[in-house]
Amino acid sequence: MRRDEEKLREYYAEAPEGVSLLDLDLERVPRHVSIIMDGNGRWATARGLDRSQGHVAGVDALREAVTTSVRLGVDVFSVYAFSTENWRRPQREVDLLMHLFATTLVNELPLFHQENVRLRFLGDLEALPERTRLVFQRGLDETADHTGMVFALAVNYGSRAEIARAARLLAREVAAGELDPGDIDESALSERLYTAGLPDPDLLIRTSGELRLSNYLLWQLAYTEFYVTDTLWPDFDRWEYLRAVIAYQGRSRRFGGVVRS
């Protein structure tokens, strides 16, 4: 993806101590960055606020993360917004999240147009409220011709359910005589996942210090580099993002092989 280096330098002006844009190798920015956004509730509780205020604050962090991804020249930026297990949360919190999804997407459409961002969703959207689905479809339609970064939101997403769905699709094609069982390989399954056509994540960032995947992109993360920060999601800013990418660039990605001297 093309990046405007002048805008990037301006965006990262006045660096805090301990991090600098000079430490970034612009030739090795990850192609696909994915984030498990975690810690909204704890952020709010620590401030004596209702959990809902943490979700509202998290929207600001997400907006900055989208802009940061564009400035860095990331091709695909994906986030885990709502899991299939999140339906178990209190109904009031679920209702708020559905409302935030709809209002936030409408509010951010000007940003997507300005930055040439194309929207995509991962997950089963049929279970979402009609208003949320309609707004999501509007976002897809209005950004369909954009040629810049892909912004993929995982909503009502669970990786095990995604893989089971892909297996059902393959089984139906075999039963219909459209596919030979011997042709089912990793590529065939990948093409039937929600992420079909997207590169696997190079870097996964998880905020709030939790050390688990939470049923997220289990297939796609096979060789992804992980970066975990104790920073709660509403406090995750462009500088935290930069630290994560710099740390990623310090890794040796062998993909199961051996680096030879």
Side-chain angles (χ1 to χ4, degrees), residues 83-116:
S83 74
T84 50
E85 291 76 28
N86 285 156
W87 294 107
R88 303 171 189 166
R89 294 187 175 187
Q91 189 61 46
R92 177 172 173 272
E93 184 173 348
V94 171
D95 291 343
L96 170 73
L97 288 168
M98 293 300 146
H99 173 73
L100 275 178
F101 291 152
T103 56
T104 298
L105 195 146
V106 170
N107 292 338
E108 299 307 320
L109 277 174
L111 172 65
F112 298 157
H113 292 315
Q114 175 186 323
E115 301 294 355
N116 195 27

Side-chain angles (χ1 to χ4, degrees), residues 3-42:
R3 85 170 60 79
D4 187 323
E5 294 188 19
E6 183 176 345
K7 282 187 176 181
L8 178 63
R9 287 192 294 271
E10 180 180 343
Y11 186 69
Y12 272 112
E14 301 179 5
E17 185 176 356
V19 61
S20 170
L21 188 61
L22 296 175
D23 296 325
L24 180 71
D25 182 350
L26 293 178
E27 300 304 316
R28 298 182 56 231
V29 171
R31 185 181 179 195
H32 181 174
V33 176
S34 192
I35 299 183
I36 299 177
M37 306 177 293
D38 197 12
N40 290 345
R42 275 168 282 174

Side-chain angles (χ1 to χ4, degrees), residues 35 43 60 65 73 97 120 123 146 175 181 183 192 200 208 229 245:
I35 299 183
W43 182 91
D60 293 333
L97 288 168
R120 181 159 171 177
H146 290 182
D183 292 332
R192 288 155 182 85
D200 289 341
S208 86
T229 174
V245 173

Side-chain angles (χ1 to χ4, degrees), residues 144-160:
D145 294 330
H146 290 182
T147 58
M149 184 185 78
V150 173
F151 176 36
L153 289 90
V155 181
N156 194 29
Y157 174 88
S159 188
R160 289 181 174 181

